[in-house]
Amino acid sequence: MTAVFSPSLMCMDLTHFREQIHLLNTRADRYHVDVMDGHYVKNMTLSPFFIEQLRKLTNLPIDVHLMAEHPQEFLIDACIDAGATMICLHPEVVQKDAFRIIRHIHQRKCDVGFVLNPATPVAALDSFIHLIDRVTIMTIDPGFAGQPFIKEMLQKIKQVRDIKKHGGYSFSIEVDGSCNESTFRLLAEAGNEIYIIGTSGLFGLHKELDTAWERMKQIFAKETASIESR
């Protein structure tokens, strides 16, 4: 599978929102939007209103990662109404309603993914993994950008890759956290497919975003060249 790149928009320069989105529209495969409620994690970031404004500027898929204690009460529908094309949830907060929530999101013509925190086992998805469109592995603790990579998560990526292969599932595999020069090769070898790129992987590489994007692609190609040639 060709690598897919999803810029994490909480890391972008919001003072140049329109300019940067117009540029990314010609380069990115999809967008990653973090919505945090200040309770599930001790941070608050983007919102359904941000998604609505983003949708006015792009036709690319918008993946929304909900870090909220009660997403089913408001945020899911608000994000879909605003233009989200995928809702990604944490199994810990929706476990008792998981089947109903998955069904509801699909009925809204939106894809659904589940996000595994570093301490959350893959087994948390066992009951409904056949119904979902994405498995995201957090390689940092959720809530804040710029944290160090948790190398133990490479084994979890391999585990999800093997489950997908042996079960014949079609969900995509994504990594959130420290996707950058020091990890691209490790993540690709483990079986990752979608790279969420934030400060260290994209926005911090150069003050000019077009230059930063080209630098990111060059780094990725260099780091993964030996894998592609096998």
Side-chain angles (χ1 to χ4, degrees):
M1 178 180 176
T2 302
V4 173
F5 297 100
S6 181
S8 176
L9 298 188
M10 70 177 281
C11 301
M12 72 183 297
D13 182 355
L14 290 174
T15 64
H16 297 283
F17 174 67
R18 180 183 294 270
E19 174 188 340
Q20 294 205 342
I21 293 302
H22 281 319
L23 188 145
L24 289 171
N25 282 342
T26 67
R27 292 163 171 78
D29 297 296
R30 51 201 314 120
Y31 289 119
H32 181 86
V33 176
D34 288 300
V35 176
M36 307 177 190
D37 68 350
H39 298 286
Y40 182 74
V41 291
K42 299 304 179 184
N43 194 9
M44 299 180 72
T45 51
L46 307 176
S47 68
F49 176 75
F50 177 89
I51 299 165
E52 182 181 354
Q53 302 308 303
L54 173 62
R55 179 50 76 203
K56 293 177 181 178
L57 300 177
T58 189
N59 292 318
L60 291 181
I62 300 174
D63 302 335
V64 177
H65 177 190
L66 291 183
M67 284 172 269
E69 287 191 353
H70 303 287
Q72 62 271 42
E73 294 182 2
F74 166 71
L75 278 176
I76 289 175
D77 282 327
C79 290
I80 295 174
D81 291 341
T85 48
M86 173 170 282
I87 301 293
C88 296
L89 304 159
H90 286 266
E92 297 92 340
V93 298
V94 300
Q95 198 75 47
K96 66 183 179 65
D97 299 314
F99 284 90
R100 180 183 63 80
I101 291 171
I102 293 168
R103 187 182 312 112
H104 174 73
I105 294 172
H106 280 153
Q107 287 174 343
R108 293 291 319 269
K109 308 301 181 185
C110 186
D111 288 339
V112 58
F114 276 83
V115 184
L116 296 172
N117 286 333
T120 303
V122 179
L125 307 180
D126 281 355
S127 296
F128 47 80
I129 196 168
H130 59 292
L131 299 175
I132 64 180
D133 306 293
R134 169 87 50 82
V135 176
T136 301
I137 296 96
M138 297 290 300
T139 55
I140 61 173
D141 287 321
F144 296 89
Q147 298 183 70
F149 181 76
I150 301 173
K151 67 180 185 304
E152 288 85 355
M153 295 305 100
L154 293 169
Q155 186 57 43
K156 184 180 288 187
I157 299 167
K158 294 174 184 177
Q159 183 183 357
V160 172
R161 175 199 64 192
D162 291 344
I163 290 171
K164 175 179 178 176
K165 178 180 178 180
H166 297 308
Y169 300 124
S170 59
F171 61 77
S172 55
I173 303 172
E174 176 180 72
V175 163
D176 187 355
S178 293
C179 293
N180 55 40
E181 183 172 10
S182 65
T183 63
F184 280 148
R185 179 181 60 81
L186 297 173
L187 296 174
E189 288 178 334
N192 185 51
E193 299 166 346
I194 302 175
Y195 298 81
I196 297 175
I197 43 177
T199 301
S200 64
L202 175 62
F203 294 101
L205 296 180
H206 195 276
K207 64 180 181 178
E208 299 296 334
L209 185 55
D210 56 346
T211 302
W213 186 273
E214 293 308 312
R215 186 169 295 176
M216 181 276 296
K217 290 297 295 288
Q218 291 169 4
I219 291 170
F220 184 86
K222 175 185 176 184
E223 292 299 315
T224 61
S226 61
I227 301 172
E228 296 176 358
S229 64
R230 291 176 185 173

